[in-house]
Amino acid sequence: MTPTMQQTPILFSRSNKDNYTQPIRVAIYGRVSTEHEEQLSAFDNQMEWYSMLLKTHPNWNVVRRPYSDKSTGTNTKKRDDFNQMIDDAMNGQFDLIITREVCRFARNTIDSLFYTRMLKNKKVEVYFVNDGIWSLDSDGELRLTIIAALAQDESRKISERVRAGQLISRENGILYGYNAFGYKHVKGEKSKDSHYILDVEDSATVRRIFDLYLAGYGMKAICSKLIEEGRKNASGLVKFDCTQISRILDNKLYAGFVVYNKSYKEDFLGKRIVNHDKSTYQYIKSDKVIPIITEEEYQRVQEIKNSRKKSTKGKAQCKRESTDRYTRKLVCSCGKSYQKFKWHVLANGTKVWGYQCRNIINNKSAKFRAQNGQSTDGYCSVPSVCQWKLDFMLDTIVKELWENPAATINKLLEIVSANYSTNNDNEEKLKRIQLLNDEIGKVMARKQALEMKWLDGKLNDADHERLCGVLNTNIETYQAEISALTNLIEDNPDSTDLEEKMNNIRLMEQLLLDGDNLTRLNIDDTFIDTFVARITPCEGRKFKWYLNIGSGRGWGFFSETAYELYDYFSLSYSQAQRYRKEHNQYLRKNQWEDITVEIYIRTN
């Protein structure tokens, strides 16, 4: 029962604990069990309760806002504030943690003892007010173990009751979840009255996907066809990928079946969700779902899918790395990888290869989408590139770096020194970005609340669309400002790293000197794997080349911040024509657009 403002929390009189004669740094931890709206008032009551408790201890100084989580308490993995509180305690930010009862701290006996013992080593005490337990007391751990074990057993009982309830729900054909693509979930007065109705536009898209697949289209071809037709996915975007198509084709819901037993929670403590094998799924024909396809069509689709699967028996099922020299290195400025394709075939039968961003392959280019009245936000407009142009760029880069190794090293040292001598103050910009991100989080929470009200029938479609439009505009405004501030922020490296960077640059010198005779350099696959970390094509025919010239470090995770901009230049038609002649090829002027090349060299 929550105490009123007139009530005083019951305290256990301990002169050496709750009646301090000197200021004590205190942290407060509160938690509610779920994120359901009706629980929010319970959380507010907890905070009010703690405020009353603090009034009886004027020497207790709260070091920061209360640590609070609105989530399950059976483990601590997803309790961000709890974990932050433990980190702060280990860093000596406070001496005492106040929490209402053991079940608010943890319902897992192991976690309760683990964290209180960890805090004990840092001389940080935990006071469980309602349970009257002070963790540093001689009998504190024993009493804590008993109460935590009782709380853990209660969690087990709740878990068993939930599973029993789910079994009865399945027997009664109760629908789980909310909307499924192609349907709208209509909530009844009772759970058994809930049902699906067809979403006219989305159900037509589902029907189209099955029709195309039965007509012999592959999943990539289906994605391309849907985008050409301007159809929208579950998020309202004209965007599809093979994973989405595969899931739709596998979903027997579209044949009028409700699917149960797809996953389960491994145990009531860890809450880890484990997916069942498809052979264990329970399919129940339901009158609460209007079929979009027939059961025969669904079975035929599964037969086609199984016949197209390649046998992987005895083979490792992992992504195979490309054997092509450039496919391994090309990453578009939109973030997607590249795919090699046949550009054309010469008169003598020689194949000429090119590379295109997978974003464009799967979703069409931003230009195509704009011409067809589709959204272009997040879509790519970087044109494909022919292989010989990449060879031409690399040849030019190698000549610049290896032609005069001493000049290359001196120039790089000067660039790094100049970057470190610039004192750019980015602190205010970073604070503003953090504030904007916080605001976006609040707006997203409000938007989620709107969605729940709309799904529950408490908000009509017109108001839902209008309010969501306002919130989306706010998010876009915040994101635009974040983008602008991010572009204004300049790298300001820690000057303590300067010496290390200088040493790494000097390690490059010998490697460059070893290759000072350009005729001895063999620019083959091994050379590219050794020296080229990444190639990033950008809009406007710009290419960023990231090179690793023996900095003394392994590759590891790619990060742009490890590279310094060394130089940039343009490649003209006359230069390209001369390169082509050297390789017994020709180039028409109308086949060429100038290319900008930026060279980045790794320095740490």
Side-chain angles (χ1 to χ4, degrees):
M1 179 177 177
T2 305
T4 64
M5 289 297 294
Q6 287 73 31
Q7 292 175 313
T8 302
I10 299 174
L11 300 176
F12 290 82
S13 178
R14 296 168 184 266
S15 59
N16 62 331
K17 291 293 190 298
D18 59 352
N19 293 319
Y20 290 98
T21 58
Q22 60 183 8
I24 299 298
R25 298 173 302 163
V26 173
I28 291 174
Y29 179 71
R31 180 187 61 78
V32 292
S33 298
T34 70
E35 293 183 355
H36 294 164
E37 190 174 352
E38 61 268 19
Q39 289 289 333
L40 297 180
S41 60
F43 179 77
D44 292 337
N45 288 336
Q46 280 191 49
M47 294 302 102
E48 180 181 314
W49 189 89
Y50 285 119
S51 297
M52 294 166 54
L53 176 62
L54 290 172
K55 288 179 181 178
T56 65
H57 296 77
N59 59 322
W60 284 4
N61 300 320
V62 179
V63 297
R64 52 155 276 178
R65 66 174 178 79
Y67 295 90
S68 58
D69 288 301
K70 301 180 180 69
S71 61
T72 178
T74 49
N75 66 53
T76 60
K77 290 181 180 178
K78 294 183 180 180
R79 292 163 63 185
D80 295 336
D81 260 24
F82 179 90
N83 294 324
Q84 183 62 54
M85 177 182 70
I86 297 298
D87 289 343
D88 292 345
M90 300 304 289
N91 291 328
Q93 294 189 19
F94 44 80
D95 312 298
L96 178 66
I97 296 174
I98 307 297
T99 189
R100 188 163 178 173
E101 51 200 345
V102 174
C103 67
R104 295 294 170 196
F105 191 74
R107 290 197 184 121
N108 180 325
T109 307
I110 294 175
D111 278 349
S112 298
L113 294 176
F114 174 79
Y115 286 107
T116 52
R117 287 171 178 172
M118 179 192 295
L119 295 167
K120 181 178 181 180
N121 291 333
K122 288 290 184 178
K123 301 190 185 306
V124 177
E125 187 159 22
V126 183
Y127 176 31
F128 303 94
V129 181
N130 282 2
D131 300 307
I133 297 175
W134 297 81
S135 62
L136 297 188
D137 273 359
S138 58
D139 64 344
E141 185 168 302
L142 174 61
R143 297 175 64 193
L144 176 62
T145 302
I146 295 170
I147 293 178
L150 292 172
Q152 179 174 315
D153 189 58
E154 179 61 23
S155 291
R156 178 188 60 79
K157 292 177 181 177
I158 292 172
S159 178
E160 290 175 353
R161 288 196 292 269
V162 169
R163 289 188 179 185
Q166 288 175 342
L167 179 60
I168 295 172
S169 295
R170 288 198 294 269
E171 292 174 350
N172 293 331
I174 302 297
L175 295 178
Y176 288 169
Y178 290 96
N179 292 349
F181 184 60
Y183 294 101
K184 286 184 179 178
H185 182 271
V186 179
K187 189 174 182 181
E189 291 186 9
K190 296 182 178 179
S191 297
K192 65 179 181 179
D193 298 326
S194 297
H195 61 281
Y196 282 125
I197 61 173
L198 292 177
D199 181 292
V200 177
E201 184 177 348
D202 291 350
S203 62
T205 299
V206 172
R207 177 74 252 184
R208 182 67 168 148
I209 290 169
F210 278 92
D211 285 344
L212 289 170
Y213 196 76
L214 288 169
Y217 281 70
M219 292 188 193
K220 280 189 177 180
I222 292 175
C223 292
S224 182
K225 193 71 174 175
L226 295 177
I227 293 168
E228 285 180 11
E229 295 174 356
R231 295 182 182 271
K232 297 179 180 179
N233 63 15
S235 301
L237 303 174
V238 184
K239 182 178 182 180
F240 292 90
D241 58 48
C242 293
T243 301
Q244 291 173 323
I245 302 301
S246 181
R247 285 175 179 170
I248 289 172
L249 293 173
D250 279 341
N251 196 343
K252 204 171 182 178
L253 177 73
Y254 299 120
F257 287 79
V258 179
V259 187
Y260 297 106
N261 203 39
K262 294 176 72 174
S263 62
Y264 67 97
K265 289 182 179 177
E266 191 172 40
D267 58 64
F268 69 95
L269 293 177
K271 300 290 186 181
R272 188 170 76 92
I273 295 177
V274 179
N275 292 324
H276 277 302
D277 184 83
K278 287 185 179 180
S279 61
T280 67
Y281 287 5
Q282 296 179 11
Y283 298 98
I284 299 177
K285 189 74 172 179
S286 175
D287 58 0
K288 297 176 182 179
V289 182
I290 301 172
I292 297 176
I293 61 170
T294 66
E295 187 175 352
E296 291 74 21
E297 287 173 320
Y298 176 81
Q299 293 299 337
R300 177 60 183 149
V301 165
Q302 304 315 306
E303 291 171 5
I304 295 172
K305 286 193 74 177
N306 290 331
S307 69
R308 290 180 177 179
K309 286 180 180 178
K310 294 179 180 180
S311 175
T312 56
K313 189 175 181 180
K315 297 180 182 178
Q317 298 185 30
C318 59
K319 186 177 179 180
R320 184 169 59 90
E321 185 180 13
S322 172
T323 57
D324 180 76
R325 58 160 65 177
Y326 289 123
T327 303
R328 296 196 296 268
K329 304 298 181 180
L330 284 163
V331 178
C332 186
S333 56
C334 75
K336 298 295 184 181
S337 59
Y338 270 66
Q339 181 171 310
K340 185 179 181 181
F341 68 96
K342 186 167 64 178
W343 189 282
H344 65 84
V345 180
L346 300 178
N348 61 7
T350 303
K351 294 178 181 178
V352 179
W353 301 100
Y355 302 87
Q356 189 167 41
C357 173
R358 291 182 184 274
N359 192 345
I360 293 178
I361 293 172
N362 294 331
N363 305 303
K364 301 295 184 183
S365 69
K367 181 180 178 181
F368 173 90
R369 298 176 70 87
Q371 290 172 346
N372 288 272
Q374 300 172 7
S375 170
T376 60
D377 187 27
Y379 298 95
C380 189
S381 58
V382 177
S384 55
V385 58
C386 193
Q387 180 174 323
W388 77 262
K389 292 182 180 179
L390 294 170
D391 291 336
F392 173 36
M393 285 183 265
L394 182 58
D395 182 77
T396 308
I397 290 170
V398 170
K399 287 178 179 176
E400 173 168 347
L401 295 177
W402 267 266
E403 203 162 45
N404 190 339
T408 299
I409 294 299
N410 288 335
K411 180 177 179 179
L412 193 56
L413 289 171
E414 290 174 3
I415 290 170
V416 172
S417 297
N419 286 344
Y420 273 81
S421 64
T422 304
N423 184 19
N424 299 312
D425 184 11
N426 299 320
E427 187 175 349
E428 292 303 318
K429 297 185 184 72
L430 292 171
K431 286 182 179 178
R432 177 61 180 168
I433 289 174
Q434 180 61 50
L435 179 63
L436 291 169
N437 279 322
D438 290 342
E439 290 300 316
I440 289 175
K442 293 176 184 177
V443 175
M444 292 296 290
R446 289 196 289 272
K447 188 175 177 182
Q448 186 176 10
L450 279 178
E451 293 292 333
M452 293 297 294
K453 288 184 178 179
W454 178 63
L455 290 170
D456 291 340
K458 298 178 181 178
L459 190 68
N460 61 44
D461 290 348
D463 287 342
H464 171 258
E465 185 175 353
R466 177 178 58 80
L467 293 172
C468 282
V470 172
L471 295 177
N472 287 336
T473 300
N474 289 341
I475 291 173
E476 290 172 3
T477 302
Y478 295 146
Q479 289 175 337
E481 186 175 350
I482 289 173
S483 179
L485 288 170
T486 302
N487 291 335
L488 289 173
I489 292 176
E490 298 178 5
D491 290 334
N492 184 24
D494 187 348
S495 59
T496 58
D497 294 337
L498 177 58
E499 185 177 353
E500 182 180 359
K501 278 182 177 282
M502 293 296 194
N503 289 334
N504 286 333
I505 292 170
R506 293 186 181 99
L507 289 174
M508 303 177 197
E509 188 167 12
Q510 188 59 47
L511 187 60
L512 288 170
L513 288 171
D514 289 343
D516 59 351
N517 184 350
L518 295 179
T519 60
R520 291 195 285 116
L521 283 176
N522 185 18
I523 305 176
D524 54 10
D525 288 4
T526 302
F527 180 93
I528 292 173
D529 282 340
T530 303
F531 296 113
V532 179
R534 178 172 290 188
I535 309 166
T536 302
C538 307
E539 293 184 26
R541 303 283 176 181
K542 181 171 74 174
F543 292 80
K544 297 179 178 180
W545 288 72
Y546 295 89
L547 308 179
N548 180 23
I549 309 178
S551 66
R553 300 289 185 87
W555 281 112
F557 179 75
F558 177 84
S559 173
E560 290 186 9
T561 58
Y563 296 80
E564 300 284 349
L565 176 60
Y566 171 79
D567 196 8
Y568 62 92
F569 52 82
S570 292
L571 293 173
S572 64
Y573 168 68
S574 59
Q575 291 171 293
Q577 186 183 44
R578 186 164 55 251
Y579 175 82
R580 293 290 278 171
K581 285 182 178 179
E582 291 173 358
H583 292 79
N584 299 317
Q585 300 290 333
Y586 66 93
L587 179 68
R588 297 188 185 95
K589 192 161 187 177
N590 62 0
Q591 295 176 319
W592 179 259
E593 289 184 53
D594 286 357
I595 292 173
T596 300
V597 178
E598 293 182 355
I599 305 173
Y600 293 82
I601 298 180
R602 186 178 183 184
T603 57
N604 67 358

